[in-house]
Amino acid sequence: AGVKAGDVILRVNGQLVNDTDELRRRLASSSEDVTLTVMRDKKELALKATIEKPKTPEAAPSKRIIK
């Protein structure tokens, strides 16, 4: 996805994210392909990302991997 250390995720698919719990919920309920709006170096950037679904039923939605 090109997300780097220090990036602040502002939106998932255009929907505002206010905290980490909301970020987890939005990612868990998203389709595989998402657009993340991040703040990097005082600039907003739109990044495309693919959410990988858990391979085991025990994996919680918050354990999804962003590529």
Side-chain angles (χ1 to χ4, degrees):
V3 177
K4 296 183 178 184
D7 285 353
V8 177
I9 298 175
L10 304 173
R11 291 183 211 75
V12 175
N13 290 335
Q15 296 182 332
L16 191 62
V17 173
N18 294 307
D19 56 40
T20 55
D21 288 333
E22 189 169 4
L23 174 61
R24 285 188 201 107
R25 284 192 302 274
R26 294 216 187 280
L27 291 175
S29 65
S30 295
S31 62
E32 288 186 12
D33 296 318
V34 297
T35 299
L36 302 175
T37 303
V38 302
M39 181 67 70
R40 180 185 297 163
D41 299 324
K42 300 180 184 177
K43 297 178 186 171
E44 282 192 24
L45 300 173
L47 306 174
K48 299 287 184 185
T50 299
I51 306 298
E52 186 176 291
K53 297 196 186 283
K55 292 181 178 23
T56 62
E58 299 83 32
S62 63
K63 304 279 186 203
R64 297 172 97 182
I65 300 168
I66 300 175
K67 288 186 176 180

